[in-house]
Amino acid sequence: MPHGLHIRLPKNFVLEERLERYAGAIEPNPYAWCGMWAWACAPVGSPAFREVRLDLGCGRGSFTVEMARREPDVLFIGMDAEPICIAYAAQAGCESGLPNVLFVPGTAMRIKEMFAPGELACIYLNFPTPFPRKKDSHKRLVNFERLMDYRVVLAPDGEVRLRTDSQPLFDFALTQVPIAGYELGWSSRDARAERPDDPTSEYEVKLGGRGARVCAYVATPGPAPVNPMQTAEVSLAAYIPQDLASFDGYAPHGMEATIQNLRNRAAKKNGDWADGITL
């Protein structure tokens, strides 16, 4: 689920009823289809889907559905750990009428149980929760540990596609790419400007209204690393630039207080800008 996504529930919203109503777009037991997604999910009488792609942390599913609309011969699977997100995403899937999109409950921690080696052509990481504090860094979807898991289920030419409004998370994510043996194919600190026709979501539109820019990369697994180890600083405070002007009007999610503290220190000229900042 994209970070900061607070869904305002309509009056009389009943989660169980919603999940039942849109059950046609939900696979409740994704572990049963490991290695079989492309042909098992194809409409009766149709050939297997050309490839399978995963939108990890799909939120309300608008990105997943739009991608499915654009590429009808590809199966798009949206995954989220939040049942409310799955309910809304499944509604979008059902209302689209598209046969090549479905949604599953789950997390990245069990991705190797849901998909067979080489089964996925692409994994989308759209606005993952940054978890800025050091103690929570292991939860990030862009950690080298997660990237190592992704490379198991990705095809040899498969891709990981990251989009985030958090510049500190993006800079941290770039350090993880070589540690996990990936090759960076494309990266941008203003992805919407460079690729304006890429699908968007309600969340990204909302961010744009606040002045956020989207950072993005596309990475492909290269030769597998031997005994990969974390060598990067994991606290996102370390990736905040000394020039805070880039954060005028917008601060990355979860780092608002830290950036304000840095501004206060700079204003008071009280020692080094980064002294004592721990997350």
Side-chain angles (χ1 to χ4, degrees):
M1 169 177 159
H3 65 77
L5 180 59
H6 300 293
I7 297 178
R8 181 174 295 179
L9 299 179
K11 186 177 180 180
N12 300 323
F13 179 94
V14 179
L15 177 60
E16 292 74 12
E17 186 273 332
R18 288 293 184 105
L19 293 173
E20 182 177 354
R21 186 192 311 176
Y22 302 112
I26 302 173
E27 173 47 60
N29 183 22
Y31 309 99
W33 304 106
C34 181
M36 303 183 289
W37 289 100
W39 64 265
C41 295
V44 176
S46 299
F49 288 109
R50 174 169 59 87
E51 60 187 39
V52 182
R53 302 184 195 175
L54 175 66
D55 185 5
L56 186 53
C58 64
R60 300 181 71 151
S62 57
F63 175 88
T64 322
V65 170
E66 178 57 28
M67 287 299 298
R69 192 188 313 278
R70 296 186 182 194
E71 300 192 61
D73 61 343
V74 173
L75 176 64
F76 287 87
I77 301 173
M79 182 190 299
D80 207 286
E82 293 290 335
I84 292 175
C85 288
I86 291 296
Y88 274 102
Q91 178 179 352
C94 286
E95 292 177 348
S96 74
L98 298 171
N100 62 323
V101 61
L102 59 84
F103 298 92
V104 302
T107 70
M109 300 296 290
R110 301 187 65 183
I111 194 171
K112 293 188 291 185
E113 300 174 47
M114 296 185 190
F115 302 99
E119 189 167 17
L120 295 178
C122 183
I123 297 175
Y124 299 96
L125 306 175
N126 289 319
F127 305 98
T129 303
F131 295 109
R133 295 181 180 275
K134 182 176 181 179
K135 67 178 183 179
D136 296 322
S137 63
H138 64 283
K139 301 177 184 178
R140 294 175 196 152
L141 295 183
V142 296
N143 269 341
F144 86 91
E145 294 97 334
R146 298 285 75 74
L147 291 174
M148 292 299 294
D149 287 345
Y150 303 156
R151 65 182 297 137
V152 172
V153 297
L154 282 170
D157 59 347
E159 297 177 336
V160 172
R161 292 176 171 256
L162 169 68
R163 296 174 72 84
T164 178
D165 59 304
S166 174
Q167 168 266 312
L169 178 67
F170 183 66
D171 285 343
F172 167 78
L174 289 176
T175 69
Q176 305 300 283
V177 169
I179 294 176
Y182 283 68
E183 298 173 355
L184 198 63
W186 171 77
S187 67
S188 172
R189 295 184 184 274
D190 194 354
R192 181 54 58 187
E194 292 188 27
R195 298 186 174 183
D197 295 328
D198 281 358
T200 187
S201 64
E202 300 97 330
Y203 184 70
E204 185 173 343
V205 170
K206 185 176 181 180
L207 290 175
R210 295 176 178 174
R213 288 190 177 184
V214 176
C215 300
Y217 75 49
V218 177
T220 303
V226 178
N227 298 323
M229 297 179 61
Q230 183 63 273
T231 56
E233 172 57 58
V234 296
S235 169
L236 295 191
Y239 300 91
I240 297 175
Q242 187 167 357
D243 178 9
L244 298 177
S246 60
F247 293 128
D248 286 349
Y250 182 82
H253 177 72
M255 306 194 75
E256 298 87 350
T258 300
I259 291 173
Q260 187 57 51
N261 287 339
L262 292 176
R263 287 196 177 105
N264 293 341
R265 292 186 184 192
K268 294 177 181 179
K269 297 181 180 180
N270 184 21
D272 189 283
W273 72 277
D275 282 351
I277 296 296
T278 59
L279 284 176

PDB file of all heavy atoms in Angstrom, residues 11-29:
ATOM      1  N   LYS A  11     -19.870   5.899   4.367  1.00  0.00           N
ATOM      2  CA  LYS A  11     -20.764   5.514   5.453  1.00  0.00           C
ATOM      3  C   LYS A  11     -21.279   4.095   5.200  1.00  0.00           C
ATOM      4  O   LYS A  11     -21.576   3.721   4.079  1.00  0.00           O
ATOM      5  CB  LYS A  11     -21.928   6.505   5.536  1.00  0.00           C
ATOM      6  CG  LYS A  11     -22.837   6.291   6.727  1.00  0.00           C
ATOM      7  CD  LYS A  11     -23.927   7.353   6.778  1.00  0.00           C
ATOM      8  CE  LYS A  11     -24.838   7.138   7.983  1.00  0.00           C
ATOM      9  NZ  LYS A  11     -25.906   8.186   8.037  1.00  0.00           N
ATOM     10  N   ASN A  12     -21.365   3.332   6.265  1.00  0.00           N
ATOM     11  CA  ASN A  12     -21.872   1.959   6.211  1.00  0.00           C
ATOM     12  C   ASN A  12     -20.958   1.017   5.417  1.00  0.00           C
ATOM     13  O   ASN A  12     -21.413  -0.014   4.920  1.00  0.00           O
ATOM     14  CB  ASN A  12     -23.286   1.913   5.623  1.00  0.00           C
ATOM     15  CG  ASN A  12     -24.276   2.722   6.445  1.00  0.00           C
ATOM     16  OD1 ASN A  12     -24.205   2.753   7.677  1.00  0.00           O
ATOM     17  ND2 ASN A  12     -25.200   3.397   5.773  1.00  0.00           N
ATOM     18  N   PHE A  13     -19.678   1.394   5.301  1.00  0.00           N
ATOM     19  CA  PHE A  13     -18.726   0.508   4.631  1.00  0.00           C
ATOM     20  C   PHE A  13     -18.522  -0.753   5.457  1.00  0.00           C
ATOM     21  O   PHE A  13     -18.203  -0.692   6.649  1.00  0.00           O
ATOM     22  CB  PHE A  13     -17.387   1.224   4.448  1.00  0.00           C
ATOM     23  CG  PHE A  13     -16.320   0.382   3.788  1.00  0.00           C
ATOM     24  CD1 PHE A  13     -16.132   0.438   2.422  1.00  0.00           C
ATOM     25  CD2 PHE A  13     -15.496  -0.456   4.541  1.00  0.00           C
ATOM     26  CE1 PHE A  13     -15.138  -0.313   1.798  1.00  0.00           C
ATOM     27  CE2 PHE A  13     -14.510  -1.212   3.930  1.00  0.00           C
ATOM     28  CZ  PHE A  13     -14.335  -1.148   2.563  1.00  0.00           C
ATOM     29  N   VAL A  14     -18.717  -1.912   4.831  1.00  0.00           N
ATOM     30  CA  VAL A  14     -18.516  -3.191   5.495  1.00  0.00           C
ATOM     31  C   VAL A  14     -17.482  -3.969   4.681  1.00  0.00           C
ATOM     32  O   VAL A  14     -17.756  -4.374   3.542  1.00  0.00           O
ATOM     33  CB  VAL A  14     -19.823  -3.998   5.604  1.00  0.00           C
ATOM     34  CG1 VAL A  14     -19.560  -5.337   6.289  1.00  0.00           C
ATOM     35  CG2 VAL A  14     -20.874  -3.205   6.371  1.00  0.00           C
ATOM     36  N   LEU A  15     -16.303  -4.159   5.242  1.00  0.00           N
ATOM     37  CA  LEU A  15     -15.198  -4.762   4.510  1.00  0.00           C
ATOM     38  C   LEU A  15     -15.559  -6.141   3.968  1.00  0.00           C
ATOM     39  O   LEU A  15     -15.328  -6.443   2.796  1.00  0.00           O
ATOM     40  CB  LEU A  15     -13.969  -4.854   5.411  1.00  0.00           C
ATOM     41  CG  LEU A  15     -12.744  -5.545   4.796  1.00  0.00           C
ATOM     42  CD1 LEU A  15     -12.273  -4.807   3.553  1.00  0.00           C
ATOM     43  CD2 LEU A  15     -11.620  -5.625   5.834  1.00  0.00           C
ATOM     44  N   GLU A  16     -16.126  -6.986   4.819  1.00  0.00           N
ATOM     45  CA  GLU A  16     -16.431  -8.358   4.396  1.00  0.00           C
ATOM     46  C   GLU A  16     -17.399  -8.369   3.222  1.00  0.00           C
ATOM     47  O   GLU A  16     -17.261  -9.167   2.293  1.00  0.00           O
ATOM     48  CB  GLU A  16     -17.018  -9.157   5.561  1.00  0.00           C
ATOM     49  CG  GLU A  16     -16.040  -9.438   6.701  1.00  0.00           C
ATOM     50  CD  GLU A  16     -15.752  -8.209   7.565  1.00  0.00           C
ATOM     51  OE1 GLU A  16     -16.491  -7.198   7.426  1.00  0.00           O
ATOM     52  OE2 GLU A  16     -14.798  -8.249   8.353  1.00  0.00           O
ATOM     53  N   GLU A  17     -18.376  -7.454   3.259  1.00  0.00           N
ATOM     54  CA  GLU A  17     -19.350  -7.391   2.171  1.00  0.00           C
ATOM     55  C   GLU A  17     -18.675  -6.953   0.877  1.00  0.00           C
ATOM     56  O   GLU A  17     -18.964  -7.483  -0.198  1.00  0.00           O
ATOM     57  CB  GLU A  17     -20.470  -6.411   2.563  1.00  0.00           C
ATOM     58  CG  GLU A  17     -21.635  -6.355   1.561  1.00  0.00           C
ATOM     59  CD  GLU A  17     -21.372  -5.362   0.438  1.00  0.00           C
ATOM     60  OE1 GLU A  17     -20.630  -4.386   0.678  1.00  0.00           O
ATOM     61  OE2 GLU A  17     -21.906  -5.586  -0.670  1.00  0.00           O
ATOM     62  N   ARG A  18     -17.772  -5.997   0.977  1.00  0.00           N
ATOM     63  CA  ARG A  18     -17.051  -5.518  -0.206  1.00  0.00           C
ATOM     64  C   ARG A  18     -16.183  -6.623  -0.811  1.00  0.00           C
ATOM     65  O   ARG A  18     -16.151  -6.809  -2.033  1.00  0.00           O
ATOM     66  CB  ARG A  18     -16.186  -4.313   0.146  1.00  0.00           C
ATOM     67  CG  ARG A  18     -16.950  -3.030   0.412  1.00  0.00           C
ATOM     68  CD  ARG A  18     -17.630  -2.521  -0.853  1.00  0.00           C
ATOM     69  NE  ARG A  18     -18.281  -1.254  -0.626  1.00  0.00           N
ATOM     70  CZ  ARG A  18     -17.810  -0.086  -1.063  1.00  0.00           C
ATOM     71  NH1 ARG A  18     -16.687  -0.035  -1.737  1.00  0.00           N
ATOM     72  NH2 ARG A  18     -18.472   1.028  -0.832  1.00  0.00           N
ATOM     73  N   LEU A  19     -15.480  -7.330   0.043  1.00  0.00           N
ATOM     74  CA  LEU A  19     -14.617  -8.410  -0.440  1.00  0.00           C
ATOM     75  C   LEU A  19     -15.434  -9.503  -1.119  1.00  0.00           C
ATOM     76  O   LEU A  19     -15.014 -10.080  -2.127  1.00  0.00           O
ATOM     77  CB  LEU A  19     -13.807  -8.987   0.716  1.00  0.00           C
ATOM     78  CG  LEU A  19     -12.752  -8.058   1.331  1.00  0.00           C
ATOM     79  CD1 LEU A  19     -12.148  -8.684   2.575  1.00  0.00           C
ATOM     80  CD2 LEU A  19     -11.655  -7.736   0.315  1.00  0.00           C
ATOM     81  N   GLU A  20     -16.598  -9.781  -0.588  1.00  0.00           N
ATOM     82  CA  GLU A  20     -17.461 -10.792  -1.192  1.00  0.00           C
ATOM     83  C   GLU A  20     -18.042 -10.303  -2.515  1.00  0.00           C
ATOM     84  O   GLU A  20     -18.107 -11.045  -3.497  1.00  0.00           O
ATOM     85  CB  GLU A  20     -18.588 -11.153  -0.233  1.00  0.00           C
ATOM     86  CG  GLU A  20     -19.517 -12.240  -0.761  1.00  0.00           C
ATOM     87  CD  GLU A  20     -20.586 -12.624   0.241  1.00  0.00           C
ATOM     88  OE1 GLU A  20     -20.530 -12.124   1.389  1.00  0.00           O
ATOM     89  OE2 GLU A  20     -21.482 -13.399  -0.125  1.00  0.00           O
ATOM     90  N   ARG A  21     -18.434  -9.032  -2.556  1.00  0.00           N
ATOM     91  CA  ARG A  21     -19.057  -8.489  -3.766  1.00  0.00           C
ATOM     92  C   ARG A  21     -18.094  -8.496  -4.947  1.00  0.00           C
ATOM     93  O   ARG A  21     -18.500  -8.740  -6.097  1.00  0.00           O
ATOM     94  CB  ARG A  21     -19.538  -7.070  -3.511  1.00  0.00           C
ATOM     95  CG  ARG A  21     -20.337  -6.473  -4.674  1.00  0.00           C
ATOM     96  CD  ARG A  21     -20.551  -4.981  -4.540  1.00  0.00           C
ATOM     97  NE  ARG A  21     -21.048  -4.576  -3.225  1.00  0.00           N
ATOM     98  CZ  ARG A  21     -21.241  -3.300  -2.870  1.00  0.00           C
ATOM     99  NH1 ARG A  21     -20.958  -2.326  -3.741  1.00  0.00           N
ATOM    100  NH2 ARG A  21     -21.683  -2.996  -1.666  1.00  0.00           N
ATOM    101  N   TYR A  22     -16.828  -8.226  -4.676  1.00  0.00           N
ATOM    102  CA  TYR A  22     -15.845  -8.136  -5.755  1.00  0.00           C
ATOM    103  C   TYR A  22     -14.872  -9.316  -5.745  1.00  0.00           C
ATOM    104  O   TYR A  22     -13.743  -9.203  -6.213  1.00  0.00           O
ATOM    105  CB  TYR A  22     -15.097  -6.812  -5.658  1.00  0.00           C
ATOM    106  CG  TYR A  22     -16.027  -5.626  -5.733  1.00  0.00           C
ATOM    107  CD1 TYR A  22     -16.231  -4.797  -4.619  1.00  0.00           C
ATOM    108  CD2 TYR A  22     -16.734  -5.349  -6.895  1.00  0.00           C
ATOM    109  CE1 TYR A  22     -17.098  -3.719  -4.688  1.00  0.00           C
ATOM    110  CE2 TYR A  22     -17.613  -4.273  -6.968  1.00  0.00           C
ATOM    111  CZ  TYR A  22     -17.791  -3.462  -5.861  1.00  0.00           C
ATOM    112  OH  TYR A  22     -18.665  -2.392  -5.926  1.00  0.00           O
ATOM    113  N   ALA A  23     -15.331 -10.429  -5.242  1.00  0.00           N
ATOM    114  CA  ALA A  23     -14.488 -11.614  -5.124  1.00  0.00           C
ATOM    115  C   ALA A  23     -13.996 -12.117  -6.477  1.00  0.00           C
ATOM    116  O   ALA A  23     -12.980 -12.815  -6.562  1.00  0.00           O
ATOM    117  CB  ALA A  23     -15.246 -12.733  -4.397  1.00  0.00           C
ATOM    118  N   GLY A  24     -14.702 -11.751  -7.548  1.00  0.00           N
ATOM    119  CA  GLY A  24     -14.303 -12.206  -8.871  1.00  0.00           C
ATOM    120  C   GLY A  24     -12.948 -11.700  -9.310  1.00  0.00           C
ATOM    121  O   GLY A  24     -12.327 -12.269 -10.216  1.00  0.00           O
ATOM    122  N   ALA A  25     -12.457 -10.637  -8.683  1.00  0.00           N
ATOM    123  CA  ALA A  25     -11.143 -10.088  -9.032  1.00  0.00           C
ATOM    124  C   ALA A  25     -10.104 -10.360  -7.951  1.00  0.00           C
ATOM    125  O   ALA A  25      -9.019  -9.777  -7.976  1.00  0.00           O
ATOM    126  CB  ALA A  25     -11.247  -8.591  -9.281  1.00  0.00           C
ATOM    127  N   ILE A  26     -10.430 -11.234  -7.004  1.00  0.00           N
ATOM    128  CA  ILE A  26      -9.515 -11.536  -5.901  1.00  0.00           C
ATOM    129  C   ILE A  26      -9.146 -13.014  -5.927  1.00  0.00           C
ATOM    130  O   ILE A  26     -10.019 -13.883  -6.070  1.00  0.00           O
ATOM    131  CB  ILE A  26     -10.155 -11.208  -4.538  1.00  0.00           C
ATOM    132  CG1 ILE A  26     -10.568  -9.739  -4.471  1.00  0.00           C
ATOM    133  CG2 ILE A  26      -9.198 -11.539  -3.395  1.00  0.00           C
ATOM    134  CD1 ILE A  26     -11.356  -9.384  -3.220  1.00  0.00           C
ATOM    135  N   GLU A  27      -7.866 -13.307  -5.791  1.00  0.00           N
ATOM    136  CA  GLU A  27      -7.416 -14.689  -5.601  1.00  0.00           C
ATOM    137  C   GLU A  27      -7.012 -14.827  -4.132  1.00  0.00           C
ATOM    138  O   GLU A  27      -5.959 -14.340  -3.717  1.00  0.00           O
ATOM    139  CB  GLU A  27      -6.233 -15.006  -6.513  1.00  0.00           C
ATOM    140  CG  GLU A  27      -5.608 -16.368  -6.257  1.00  0.00           C
ATOM    141  CD  GLU A  27      -6.631 -17.489  -6.141  1.00  0.00           C
ATOM    142  OE1 GLU A  27      -7.373 -17.719  -7.116  1.00  0.00           O
ATOM    143  OE2 GLU A  27      -6.706 -18.108  -5.059  1.00  0.00           O
ATOM    144  N   PRO A  28      -7.849 -15.483  -3.324  1.00  0.00           N
ATOM    145  CA  PRO A  28      -7.590 -15.542  -1.882  1.00  0.00           C
ATOM    146  C   PRO A  28      -6.429 -16.451  -1.493  1.00  0.00           C
ATOM    147  O   PRO A  28      -5.893 -16.321  -0.405  1.00  0.00           O
ATOM    148  CB  PRO A  28      -8.918 -16.063  -1.315  1.00  0.00           C
ATOM    149  CG  PRO A  28      -9.516 -16.852  -2.439  1.00  0.00           C
ATOM    150  CD  PRO A  28      -9.114 -16.130  -3.694  1.00  0.00           C
ATOM    151  N   ASN A  29      -6.056 -17.382  -2.379  1.00  0.00           N
ATOM    152  CA  ASN A  29      -4.980 -18.313  -2.058  1.00  0.00           C
ATOM    153  C   ASN A  29      -3.933 -18.289  -3.168  1.00  0.00           C
ATOM    154  O   ASN A  29      -3.840 -19.214  -3.979  1.00  0.00           O
ATOM    155  CB  ASN A  29      -5.525 -19.727  -1.875  1.00  0.00           C
ATOM    156  CG  ASN A  29      -4.433 -20.709  -1.456  1.00  0.00           C
ATOM    157  OD1 ASN A  29      -3.389 -20.302  -0.926  1.00  0.00           O
ATOM    158  ND2 ASN A  29      -4.658 -21.988  -1.699  1.00  0.00           N
TER     159      ASN A  29
END
